[in-house]
Amino acid sequence: QQIYVTPTITYRDLKENKAFIRSVQTGNAGPFASVSVPDVNNIVTHKPDLGFQFGAMWGYPLSKNITITGGLQLNISKYDIKAYSHPSEVTTIALSTAAGGSNTVSTFTSYRNIGGFKENWLRNLYVSASVPIGLELKLAKNRKGYIGIGGNVQPAYVIDNKSYLLSTDFKNYAEIPSLIRKWNINTGFEVFAASTTGKVKWRIGPQVRYQTRSSFITKYPVKEHLYDFGIKLGLMLK
């Protein structure tokens, strides 16, 4: 058994459903009648923030150089969004339906993406538990240790979150917890050096974790995929 900790920084990639937003606009749906459809990445400002991963891993050797791995992992991913304080107002988000139409959800918010009076940085936070399952391959080794690579798939469940979503007109940020996806699938890849010091086996190396499904439910017209980059340190007693 190996325990490990990975300090990380989180980036995100956004992509809007322009066809849906345009259809809402041309349908003259109330508050979206004048919506344009710019590239969402050009009108929002976000920056990475520090997070971490902590977990335990078990391995079973399939050969001298290949090991199948499994484990449990706690993940905290954070990033910051530039916003502006504003007197409380109603903001509306359009959601697609299975029949190809749309409905809306509205809430009060005190944050604007553009046009407020005081700059703020909002923090989006995701806390999740995952089950990494994968393979490791030894590339080069000597009597003291080895260099290896590893990859895995990580089914994950979001335990808690504090997330601000962009309104369909890109004007406001608002918290609507029901629009956050609870189950997701991540993939991980790492390169590491492993060695032994006294009674302790240790390993260290860079890793990247990618979220394959959007942080938000399918009905929401903006997709968000997270990238966690970190340095993984693992320890095991002999």
Side-chain angles (χ1 to χ4, degrees):
Q1 178 183 346
Q2 176 189 168
I3 59 172
Y4 58 88
V5 62
T6 311
T8 61
I9 56 173
T10 300
Y11 294 82
R12 68 170 178 164
D13 177 62
L14 297 176
K15 185 176 182 180
E16 73 280 9
N17 185 341
K18 290 188 178 182
F20 171 74
I21 296 174
R22 189 175 295 112
S23 72
V24 173
Q25 176 185 359
T26 56
N28 197 30
F32 307 118
S34 61
V35 168
S36 60
V37 192
D39 184 338
V40 66
N41 289 285
N42 292 333
I43 62 171
V44 302
T45 302
H46 42 227
K47 64 180 181 180
D49 203 341
L50 295 176
F52 77 89
Q53 300 162 13
F54 177 79
M57 184 179 71
W58 295 263
Y60 180 81
L62 299 178
S63 69
K64 287 184 178 182
N65 295 319
I66 300 176
T67 300
I68 187 170
T69 61
L72 298 172
Q73 182 170 291
L74 176 69
N75 314 280
I76 295 182
S77 300
K78 296 184 296 181
Y79 61 86
D80 301 321
I81 305 169
K82 188 176 182 180
Y84 298 88
S85 297
H86 189 273
S88 183
E89 60 186 341
V90 176
T91 190
T92 302
I93 292 176
L95 304 173
S96 61
T97 66
S102 66
N103 56 32
T104 61
V105 57
S106 298
T107 189
F108 285 94
T109 181
S110 299
Y111 298 107
R112 281 191 171 184
N113 178 41
I114 300 171
F117 63 85
K118 181 183 178 182
E119 181 179 309
N120 272 288
W121 283 95
L122 306 177
R123 174 169 292 169
N124 272 19
L125 167 69
Y126 299 95
V127 181
S128 65
S130 60
V131 182
I133 301 171
L135 292 172
E136 290 185 355
L137 174 65
K138 294 180 181 179
L139 299 178
K141 55 185 176 179
N142 56 35
R143 290 182 298 174
K144 294 184 177 182
Y146 62 93
I147 302 295
I149 59 173
N152 57 56
V153 176
Q154 304 177 20
Y157 178 77
V158 177
I159 301 170
D160 194 16
N161 76 88
K162 182 178 178 63
S163 302
Y164 294 90
L165 283 73
L166 195 61
S167 60
T168 306
D169 58 7
F170 299 159
K171 179 180 176 181
N172 297 100
Y173 283 108
E175 287 188 89
I176 306 180
S178 62
L179 300 185
I180 304 301
R181 188 189 301 275
K182 286 294 186 180
W183 288 97
N184 218 307
I185 298 176
N186 295 267
T187 58
F189 179 78
E190 62 181 303
V191 180
F192 58 88
S195 187
T196 301
T197 303
K199 294 184 177 182
V200 177
K201 290 184 177 180
W202 58 268
R203 54 191 281 176
I204 188 170
Q207 75 154 38
V208 59
R209 182 174 187 257
Y210 171 68
Q211 181 181 281
T212 64
R213 305 183 73 193
S214 175
S215 302
F216 315 128
I217 64 174
T218 305
K219 296 178 181 179
Y220 179 66
V222 177
K223 293 183 179 181
E224 172 190 88
H225 296 274
L226 302 182
Y227 298 82
D228 291 318
F229 297 91
I231 300 294
K232 183 176 179 179
L233 173 64
L235 297 173
M236 180 174 62
L237 295 177
K238 294 176 63 178

